[in-house]
Amino acid sequence: MTTTPGSTRVPRSMALYGRATQLIPGATQLVSRRPNRVAYGVSPVYAERARGARFWDVDGFEYIDWMSGIGSILLGYADPEVDEAVREQISRGTVYAVNHELEIELAEELCRSIPCAEMARYSKCGGEACAIAVRIARGVTGRDKILFCGYHGWHDWYLAANLSEEANLNAHLFPGIEATGVPRALAGTALPFPYGDIPAVGELLDRHRGQVAAVIMEPLRSVMPAPGYLAGVAQLAREHGAVFILDEVSTGLRFSMGGVQQLLGVTPDMAVFAKSISNGYPMAAIVGKREVMEPSARMFISSTYWSDTIGLRAALTTIREARRRDVPNRLWQFGAELKRRLNAIAQEVGLDAPCEGVDVHPQLHFAVADPQLAGYVTTLYIQEMAKRGCHGYASFYLNAAQGEAELAQTTHAARETFTIIRDALHTNSVEQALECPVQQDTFRRLVR
């Protein structure tokens, strides 16, 4: 690194982070917001405000947010339609001693949009919603074991996979996580399977015949599944009497108004949605077929704030606005153009860095064989793009507020950044070009 210890581009952010480490365990509530996930000391850590496709940090810098609020922003920050609807709802009260009609309206909207949805339950975040879905599946089937693929949150049912010596979450979450605080009695109740391998699912179902309550998985991240893969997993699950659940927390409305399941024509028994359905307001939904969902009325799954009207109103307005503005189609087109421009620049500069993956969630792939050097290159990319007003990883979470101005700024920044990376690779000086520690790429997702 070229900087001296303690130097930083964002002193106000780092000072706040220092205060936070003394008061908040881990300094932040979400691993993805820790500053070592990006360019430590160069990337922003604390935002002051946001609007549209951009946010402004506490040090006065303006950024395009290519993380879209860790996937929670679909329409854009401070969307006027959603925020006005929320403000109007606040004026009428947010939580009551009785129910509100919005609960029914949102359920009707979800059931109109999502193929598997015949009934709906609510919660406030994706991990919580996954835990509810798993609870329902266990209650419906009377079984305990869960097969999973991908990332599904922090709850006991999921982290129980790491109670075994194999550290089963290494390929699904991030390596080295300890299941501290998770009851040892849950060992063997959560079992992972590799993405794309149907025989592996069948083998696990055979080995634990009659014991598996659910097969839950992320349908994809940035690469489409092989034809017939999701349908094959669904068929195996049902043949063994297990509930097939799609975790659409990270895909959701970006792919279509009915999620990935509508796009690919695979209808699960249950699905979990969060993030994109409410444009930054805390809200999640568990939807599914009536025969699976209805028995949950007899299960103790209950919380005061699951029906607060802020989340309900935000979700209902976001879904209707996304449909009115044809947001999924716009994101597919925008992502395709982003990929086209970045690939053209990489070719022009002479850097082997194809922008690949599905158009609504593109990813840069730096063709560097050595893993350590690849980490340096990725960090250098994040560092130099941050200095040019583009915040994110070497991937792109899209939202509907991003437009030509964001494309122009990002492609200009990428041309300069790609040139820096190319020259550093040619002179074997990538590490020396870093002004920060190597980015900690903790989430090694099995699903890409």
Side-chain angles (χ1 to χ4, degrees):
M1 296 186 299
T2 59
T3 54
T4 57
S7 64
T8 176
R9 174 178 174 269
V10 285
R12 175 70 173 150
S13 261
M14 299 312 294
L16 288 172
Y17 181 67
R19 286 170 57 192
T21 60
Q22 301 302 309
L23 298 165
I24 301 170
T28 180
Q29 312 303 317
L30 182 70
V31 170
S32 295
R33 290 196 178 101
R34 293 182 181 177
N36 61 5
R37 292 281 286 122
V38 281
Y40 189 96
V42 178
S43 297
V45 187
Y46 287 86
E48 185 176 81
R49 60 189 174 91
R51 180 168 293 276
R54 299 167 183 262
F55 71 87
W56 288 259
D57 75 354
V58 294
D59 287 283
F61 294 111
E62 177 183 334
Y63 299 89
I64 302 168
D65 182 12
W66 285 114
M67 294 185 188
S68 290
I70 321 296
S72 65
I73 301 299
L74 179 70
L75 304 178
Y77 284 108
D79 181 80
E81 297 295 332
V82 177
D83 287 1
E84 180 55 36
V86 168
R87 279 191 289 269
E88 195 277 335
Q89 184 60 51
I90 290 172
S91 72
R92 300 182 178 201
T94 60
V95 176
Y96 314 99
V98 294
N99 303 297
H100 194 282
E101 187 178 359
L102 280 172
E103 293 182 59
I104 305 167
E105 288 187 48
L106 179 56
E108 289 171 340
E109 190 71 49
L110 292 168
C111 290
R112 276 194 294 269
S113 301
I114 301 167
C116 77
E118 295 175 354
M119 301 187 83
R121 289 294 309 263
Y122 306 128
S123 67
K124 285 299 167 194
C125 64
E128 184 179 56
C130 285
I132 292 169
V134 165
R135 171 76 69 81
I136 292 172
R138 283 172 165 162
V140 168
T141 62
R143 302 172 177 179
D144 293 340
K145 295 186 177 181
I146 306 295
L147 305 189
F148 71 87
C149 178
Y151 171 63
H152 306 292
W154 65 271
H155 291 73
D156 284 0
W157 78 265
Y158 181 62
L159 294 189
N162 262 13
L163 291 170
S164 69
E165 294 181 0
E166 291 83 7
N168 287 321
L169 294 179
N170 278 3
H172 296 257
L173 181 58
F174 50 89
I177 189 171
E178 296 182 8
T180 306
V182 179
R184 301 292 307 176
L186 292 179
T189 59
L191 307 167
F193 61 91
Y195 190 79
D197 190 341
I198 292 180
V201 180
E203 181 182 338
L204 276 171
L205 287 165
D206 286 337
R207 191 187 314 162
H208 301 278
R209 184 173 292 274
Q211 302 174 62
V212 176
V215 177
I216 181 171
M217 64 182 298
E218 291 184 273
L220 63 98
R221 280 274 161 173
S222 187
V223 177
M224 285 292 187
Y229 170 62
L230 294 179
V233 176
Q235 181 179 344
L236 278 174
R238 289 164 182 154
E239 286 174 355
H240 285 260
V243 178
F244 180 58
I245 306 170
L246 283 185
D247 177 349
E248 293 226 44
V249 169
S250 293
T251 52
L253 306 189
R254 283 182 168 83
F255 284 76
S256 79
M257 290 307 303
V260 166
Q261 59 187 273
Q262 181 184 61
L263 182 70
L264 297 182
V266 177
T267 303
D269 301 309
M270 269 199 294
V272 175
F273 288 79
K275 292 197 177 188
S276 65
I277 68 167
S278 50
N279 203 53
Y281 289 93
M283 191 66 202
I286 306 93
V287 301
K289 297 178 179 177
R290 186 172 302 276
E291 62 266 27
V292 177
M293 296 292 293
E294 200 163 41
S296 69
R298 300 183 293 278
M299 304 175 199
F300 191 71
I301 302 172
S302 177
S303 177
T304 300
Y305 290 107
W306 288 346
S307 55
D308 100 278
T309 57
I310 295 176
L312 293 168
R313 180 66 73 186
L316 192 61
T317 308
T318 298
I319 292 168
R320 289 173 176 172
E321 284 299 305
R323 181 180 290 111
R324 184 181 70 82
R325 303 178 200 179
D326 195 19
V327 166
N329 187 49
R330 286 176 58 188
L331 296 186
W332 281 100
Q333 294 177 6
F334 182 85
E337 178 62 13
L338 175 64
K339 287 168 61 178
R340 187 193 70 77
R341 294 193 191 189
L342 290 177
N343 282 324
I345 291 168
Q347 185 174 14
E348 171 192 320
V349 168
L351 179 68
D352 192 355
C355 192
E356 303 171 324
V358 294
D359 292 345
V360 293
H361 190 37
Q363 294 184 339
L364 283 167
H365 174 69
F366 297 104
V368 178
D370 178 68
Q372 184 178 50
L373 181 58
Y376 294 157
V377 168
T378 300
T379 306
L380 184 56
Y381 168 82
I382 294 170
Q383 167 189 296
E384 294 303 316
M385 292 296 282
K387 288 159 65 175
R388 290 160 177 80
C390 298
H391 179 69
Y393 306 135
S395 59
F396 302 87
Y397 244 133
L398 306 186
N399 68 70
Q402 294 159 352
E404 179 56 37
E406 286 69 41
L407 281 175
Q409 180 179 336
T410 300
T411 50
H412 178 75
R415 179 177 283 105
E416 294 182 352
T417 297
F418 286 177
T419 301
I420 291 169
I421 294 172
R422 179 203 63 193
D423 293 346
L425 285 170
H426 287 172
T427 57
N428 295 317
S429 60
V430 177
E431 185 178 7
Q432 289 71 33
L434 293 178
E435 301 169 19
C436 60
V438 176
Q439 179 230 17
Q440 299 299 305
D441 189 14
T442 50
F443 279 86
R444 295 185 183 178
R445 298 284 173 75
L446 181 71
V447 180
R448 291 194 57 200

